[in-house]
Amino acid sequence: QVQLVESGGGLVQPGGSLRLSCTSSTTIWSMGWYRQAPGKKREMVAHLSRGGITNYAASVQGRFTISRDAASNTVYLELNNLKPEDTAVYYCWVDTAAGVYWGQGTQVNVSS
């Protein structure tokens, strides 16, 4: 059973920054971050393929950055210039040799 531990969420003012992290108990192949706001469907925020190709939702392009530290099996999401509409629960997603797994979610609140 693969274990994922997310951290880094919190309350931040508009224009602020956060860094989310997700550490896996096993080697990560490809990875991503999704988010779900109240009353809305879960949506893809950022994706990093096994070959290093990134994709971002149009709403976060230029503000968010996904990256990884292969040595520690950790995937990061850097969130900059945050907006109130970025408020959501953020989930990491990883593809491993053992299958696909989701993190437990971390809450991000953007409010003044």
Side-chain angles (χ1 to χ4, degrees), residues 52-98:
I53 297 173
T54 57
N55 279 300
Y56 296 94
S59 58
V60 307
Q61 182 77 43
R63 300 188 297 122
F64 292 8
T65 303
I66 187 171
S67 62
R68 68 179 294 178
D69 177 10
S72 64
N73 296 324
T74 300
V75 55
Y76 300 99
L77 185 68
E78 189 81 27
L79 298 77
N80 295 311
N81 191 20
L82 281 160
K83 304 175 181 181
E85 53 263 40
D86 294 318
T87 294
V89 178
Y90 285 70
Y91 299 90
C92 67
W93 170 96
V94 299
D95 184 20
T96 73

